[in-house]
Structure formats: structure tokens, C-alpha cells
Amino acid sequence: MSKQLRIASALSIAATLITTLFSTASSGAAAQDPVPSHRLEAMIPAKEAPGSSAIISYSADAAFPVDERVLPQDEATAASLDDTAPPVATSLADLVDATTAPEQLSDELRCLAGAIYFEAKSETMAGQLAVGRVIVARARSGRFPASYCGVVYQPSQFSFVRGHSIPAVNPASRDWIKATKIAMIADHGSWKSPVEGAMFFHAARVSPSWGKVRMARIDNHIFYR
């Protein structure tokens, strides 16, 4: 074989090998599935919902991420974990202890506290709260004056009222401070009275003919609705 024929044969064989290699590589790449667009989107972490924490895990075989979202804790649980949250009162005494007496009382709270103080300062907290809740119930009933002071100063209702005024008290006394705290509790309705809804009461030593529905006696007072 001549030199020219041998060179031509070698070039032909080389060209055939190169063509075969490129063809094999192309067919192998085509055999692999491309990554679907939705799979690419699934690889982008989702935004967390406000107020929640999210843990997102991914599965190589899943079209979408597996959402292991941790839901927000309920308010009661969150409050129990908050060191600044006030303690949960299990009794009226606990609630009174946890209540902070304001440095200055509004006129309305002063009237409410005055009624509690002068009507029931020597009684239990339940008795004091019952008196306070009667004042609150009257003011919100639409049948009496629509303010605590209006209820307290209404003529012929409370014997401690003198000349349309409440007698002076020592604001630093323990009894007055307790009365102000119970007034706040009664105003907020944060602890219900055993005679909730009562709008009348009188001292147990008297027996007026009122013709009203008797609810209960607490300490030295009998309550009616």
C-alpha cells in the first residue's frame, strides 16, 4: 500500500472514532431526565409564616418539600413561658396580693373603694367584693345612675354618705389599700362574686320587707337581685 493510502486510511479511522465518541456522550446525556421546573422551585426555602417557626426538609424523590411546620403556641402556653406574665391567681386572696394599688385613684374608683371600705372593711375579701360588685351591677344596669359615684351618692342608699361626700380616710392604711385593690378587681370583673348579679343588700341585723329574691348571706350582709 502506498504511503498516501496509509495516511488516508488512518485519518478515516480517527474520524470514525471521534464521531462515535461524541455520539455516545450525547445519547447518554439525553437519557438522563432533566430536573423539572417544579423540582427546582421546591428547592427554594419557603418563607416563614408570621408568628411561626418553620423546619423545611427535602426529599430527593419528592416533587415538593415536606413541610414540618411548627405551629405557634397557644396564648396560654406562651404566657406560661413568659417570665414577665403575672401569676395565675388561684384564689381571691392571691389576686388581691398580685394587684398593685394605683398611686392615684380616679374619682370613680375612689367612690367604689369608699363603698367597699365603709360598708365592709371588717369583712372577708369575698364580702368586700360582693359589695363592690353590687355597685358595679347597679351602674351598668340602666336602672340606677350610670356611674359609681352616682350610685354611691344616690339619696337614701348608703348611710356612710354625709352631705354628698365620702368621709376622709387614711390612704396609707392597710384596710384602704385592700379596698382599692378589691375595687379594681370588681371594676374589671376579674373575679366573680358568689352573689354575682345582686343589686341590693342590707345588714343582717335588720329585716326589711323588700319582696326581692334573696341570693345569699355573706358575712354581715344579705344580698338580693
Side-chain angles (χ1 to χ4, degrees):
M1 181 180 295
S2 65
K3 183 177 180 180
Q4 288 82 359
L5 290 175
R6 288 198 299 271
I7 293 173
S9 178
L11 291 174
S12 176
I13 293 171
T16 301
L17 290 174
I18 292 172
T19 301
T20 302
L21 290 174
F22 273 104
S23 175
T24 302
S26 299
S27 62
Q32 295 180 359
D33 292 333
V35 179
S37 60
H38 62 265
R39 291 285 298 276
L40 292 174
E41 293 173 359
M43 297 174 66
I44 302 174
K47 293 183 179 180
E48 294 184 14
S52 67
S53 58
I55 302 174
I56 307 296
S57 62
Y58 300 92
S59 169
D61 298 325
F64 297 97
V66 179
D67 192 350
E68 298 175 357
R69 188 169 301 279
V70 180
L71 295 177
Q73 295 170 324
D74 59 81
E75 294 182 2
T77 303
S80 67
L81 298 177
D82 185 357
D83 293 336
T84 63
V88 177
T90 57
S91 68
L92 177 57
D94 287 344
L95 183 56
V96 171
D97 288 340
T99 301
T100 301
E103 294 182 0
Q104 291 187 340
L105 287 174
S106 66
D107 291 341
E108 286 295 283
L109 280 179
R110 186 177 299 279
C111 287
L112 182 56
I116 293 169
Y117 179 85
F118 286 107
E119 289 288 339
K121 65 180 178 182
S122 62
E123 299 187 4
T124 64
M125 293 181 188
Q128 294 183 49
L129 179 62
V131 168
R133 290 296 292 172
V134 167
I135 308 299
V136 173
R138 285 190 176 190
R140 297 175 182 175
S141 69
R143 298 163 55 187
F144 292 85
S147 67
Y148 300 153
C149 289
V151 169
V152 170
Y153 292 141
Q154 190 175 17
S156 305
Q157 295 299 311
F158 295 96
S159 60
F160 66 86
V161 175
R162 295 286 187 272
H164 201 71
S165 65
I166 297 175
V169 298
N170 177 7
S173 70
R174 291 180 58 186
D175 287 340
W176 176 250
I177 292 173
K178 182 189 295 184
T180 61
K181 291 183 176 184
I182 293 176
M184 294 175 64
I185 293 169
D187 175 52
H188 295 154
S190 48
W191 195 274
K192 299 302 182 184
S193 164
V195 289
E196 195 66 27
M199 288 201 294
F200 306 90
F201 66 89
H202 63 73
R205 66 178 181 273
V206 300
S207 300
S209 300
W210 281 357
K212 302 183 186 304
V213 178
R214 173 172 169 159
M215 297 181 70
R217 172 174 174 169
I218 301 178
D219 299 332
N220 296 319
H221 289 100
I222 300 174
F223 293 84
Y224 300 80
R225 63 169 183 264

